[in-house]
Amino acid sequence: MRVLRVHLVGWTASFRYPIFVTGYQPTLPVPPVSTIYGLISAAKGEYITPKDTKVGYVMRSDAKGIDLETIYMLSNDNSVKSNIYKREFLLNPDLYVYLTNLSFKDAFKKPEYSLLLGRSSDLMMVEEVKEIDLVQKHGKKRVGGTVVPFGEEGIWGPLQALPMYFSNTIPREAIRIRPYYVLGDFIEYEGDSFWYDEELDWGVYIHG
């Protein structure tokens, strides 16, 4: 399968658990698929969904930390109230995104908007944009740094309900919510549902 592989690096990233609305904000170890579609939309400068491209990704980070963050809550009477809470973040995120639509190459060479991976301060920089071939590799392969739909045989890990992408309406609506295995660490896998990146020696699950 011919794909576009985009390598992005940054200093911090944070992916909120949907079930935590207030108080302490833990981070998922890897981004949900919806974050990847948000990133692609920012690069392209237009609303991108699975109809435009399928995606795969692998993300690693060096460590996890905790930050103090001030939020401002706007009431219906236009009054503002501030609050401080703890938010986890990932240090030195290293993200590889795979796109089946090869025409998006120019968008990542010159993104339309800032590329963010979580909060508005989690800026990502494009290291490389390259066309590669993902191959089918039978037998054992290492997979991780991504999410995989629940029910995929041979995969195990923590489960979390996540959306595939969001609508571009106000307010936004989460679309195609389903349970996913969250693979923060790499595991050994022996099925054929993952494509294989020979250069980086890992499996890639394609969503869409």
Side-chain angles (χ1 to χ4, degrees):
M1 176 192 289
R2 192 73 171 170
V3 298
L4 188 67
R5 188 180 72 191
V6 183
H7 181 202
L8 303 105
V9 297
W11 292 337
T12 60
S14 179
F15 312 113
R16 190 175 69 83
Y17 277 81
I19 57 175
F20 288 83
V21 178
T22 60
Y24 186 79
Q25 295 288 315
T27 179
L28 292 164
V30 296
V33 184
S34 58
T35 297
I36 301 301
Y37 276 108
L39 189 76
I40 299 169
S41 297
K44 189 74 174 171
E46 58 188 74
Y47 181 53
I48 301 299
T49 74
K51 293 179 181 177
D52 302 298
T53 182
K54 295 181 179 180
V55 298
Y57 59 96
V58 177
M59 197 198 95
R60 303 169 295 185
S61 60
D62 289 342
K64 185 189 292 183
I66 300 175
D67 198 5
L68 283 176
E69 189 169 275
T70 301
I71 61 170
Y72 297 93
M73 297 173 285
L74 182 64
S75 300
N76 290 335
D77 61 359
N78 290 330
S79 63
V80 178
K81 183 179 179 182
S82 65
N83 193 10
I84 298 174
Y85 62 92
K86 294 180 179 178
R87 179 191 288 270
E88 289 184 349
F89 66 93
L90 302 169
L91 185 65
N92 296 330
D94 186 36
L95 173 67
Y96 288 85
V97 178
Y98 301 82
L99 300 94
T100 57
N101 189 332
L102 304 180
S103 70
F104 285 18
K105 181 185 294 184
D106 290 341
F108 281 96
K109 288 185 174 179
K110 191 177 181 182
E112 192 72 24
Y113 298 107
S114 300
L115 302 181
L116 307 174
L117 205 56
R119 300 170 297 180
S120 59
S121 57
D122 296 329
L123 186 65
M124 297 296 286
M125 296 158 282
V126 177
E127 283 283 293
E128 183 184 52
V129 182
K130 182 180 181 180
E131 286 189 25
I132 67 163
D133 288 311
L134 294 177
V135 300
Q136 283 285 0
K137 177 187 176 184
H138 302 296
K140 294 180 180 177
K141 58 183 83 66
R142 66 189 187 107
V143 301
T146 190
V147 300
V148 179
F150 172 70
E152 196 64 53
E153 190 173 350
I155 297 295
W156 68 93
L159 283 171
Q160 178 63 52
L162 298 167
M164 171 72 84
Y165 62 104
F166 283 90
S167 70
N168 61 346
T169 58
I170 301 176
R172 297 188 307 164
E173 293 182 20
I175 299 174
R176 291 170 61 179
I177 298 174
R178 62 182 299 184
Y180 287 90
Y181 296 109
V182 180
L183 302 182
D185 297 321
F186 282 81
I187 63 173
E188 197 170 74
Y189 168 75
E190 198 167 356
D192 292 331
S193 296
F194 283 72
W195 291 81
Y196 181 67
D197 186 330
E198 293 180 296
E199 183 181 349
L200 299 177
D201 185 27
W202 60 40
V204 179
Y205 191 90
I206 298 296
H207 301 267

